[in-house]
Amino acid sequence: SYVLTQPPSVSVAPGEAAHITCGGDNIGRNSVRWYRQWPGQAPMLVLYDSGDRPSGIPERFSGSNSANTATLTISRVAAGDEADYYCQVFESSGDHVVFGGGTKLTVL
Amino acid sequence: QITLKESGPTLVKPTQTLTLTCTFSGFSLSTTGVGVAWIRQPPGKALEWLALIYWDDDTRYNTSLRSRLTIAKDTSKNQVVLTMTNLAPVDTGTYYCAPRGVGPAGFGPWGQGTLVTVSS
């Protein structure tokens, strides 16, 4: 089955940019979704189609996807960005849903 | 406004069967392209997709849990039901439902989730 690999944690100072990666075999051929989950809350979509933002998500959130790595970039990180972030794809072979293992973003 | 709410037992004994209901509003599961998924999250762990049902009754299941899961919909009641058999303590976690095809290409908005504890 298809596997998405995320770093368990990423730490960044306020005002800097955070880069959260999601690795998968030829993931560049897939459309990647990214979800943010604040503690005790349900996940929420923050990026789709690898780099588009739903309404209400600030421009500070952007994405890229190429070859075997997709990346969520949060520029000018603030304390409110501290959360768990998950990548997700639909596995092309059977339209199954795959989530990455999640990355905890810590704002120093 | 789209809303979803999960309901079901909070405590289940090992080997028992779990039945969870997702009741939603603001969209219809009879609309082409729309689906509803169940996703769970053990305490402190990652999200795990369980099952997905589409407007045309097409279903998809997590391969590793396929033998234990059944997903069904009641379009007239705006509900999706997930049944999981032979529960074990490792099935403890928060269970979420979320739609696909009602907004941007992903799952959302999500329900608040319901915590299920498997313990004797």
Side-chain angles (χ1 to χ4, degrees):
Chain A
S1 61
Y2 195 72
V3 176
L4 295 176
T5 302
Q6 297 182 238
S9 63
V10 168
S11 298
V12 63
E16 299 297 311
H19 304 280
I20 298 174
T21 59
C22 176
D25 187 35
N26 286 317
I27 194 173
R29 299 181 181 179
N30 214 321
S31 177
V32 181
R33 287 81 175 171
W34 289 93
Y35 301 86
R36 174 181 64 198
Q37 185 178 32
W38 283 314
Q41 296 197 21
M44 183 176 74
L45 184 71
V46 294
L47 284 182
Y48 64 98
D49 289 347
S50 303
D52 291 335
R53 288 173 287 105
S55 174
I57 301 300
E59 293 182 0
R60 300 186 297 108
F61 286 76
S62 62
S64 63
N65 188 15
S66 179
N68 297 313
T69 304
T71 303
L72 166 66
T73 297
I74 308 171
S75 59
R76 302 183 300 282
V77 164
D81 296 321
E82 197 164 272
D84 293 325
Y85 291 84
Y86 294 90
C87 56
Q88 177 254 312
V89 301
F90 291 95
E91 188 180 10
S92 58
S93 64
D95 199 27
H96 285 196
V97 180
V98 182
F99 284 97
T103 298
K104 180 177 180 59
L105 175 64
T106 298
V107 181
L108 300 171
Chain B
Q1 181 187 6
I2 293 173
T3 63
L4 300 92
K5 186 171 184 178
E6 305 85 352
S7 60
T10 58
L11 181 63
V12 181
K13 288 181 169 29
T15 75
Q16 287 188 336
T17 295
L18 172 68
T19 299
L20 294 173
T21 301
C22 174
T23 303
F24 57 86
S25 63
F27 68 94
S28 173
L29 243 184
S30 60
T31 300
T32 299
V34 173
V36 172
W38 282 96
I39 300 130
R40 72 177 179 181
Q41 185 173 38
K45 297 189 177 181
L47 301 171
E48 179 181 33
W49 169 70
L50 299 176
L52 174 57
I53 188 165
Y54 288 101
W55 83 101
D56 59 356
D57 286 320
D58 188 17
T59 57
R60 296 284 186 268
Y61 292 97
N62 182 313
T63 303
S64 64
L65 296 167
R66 173 66 183 92
S67 63
R68 299 172 54 207
L69 297 174
T70 303
I71 190 170
K73 64 181 177 67
D74 187 330
T75 305
S76 64
K77 293 183 179 179
N78 281 350
Q79 291 181 333
V80 172
V81 176
L82 180 75
T83 302
M84 179 181 290
T85 61
N86 193 25
L87 259 67
V90 294
D91 295 310
T92 293
T94 298
Y95 286 71
Y96 298 98
C97 61
R100 179 187 186 189
V102 299
F107 290 111
W110 295 49
Q112 64 187 22
T114 186
L115 177 61
V116 177
T117 301
V118 183
S119 174
S120 54

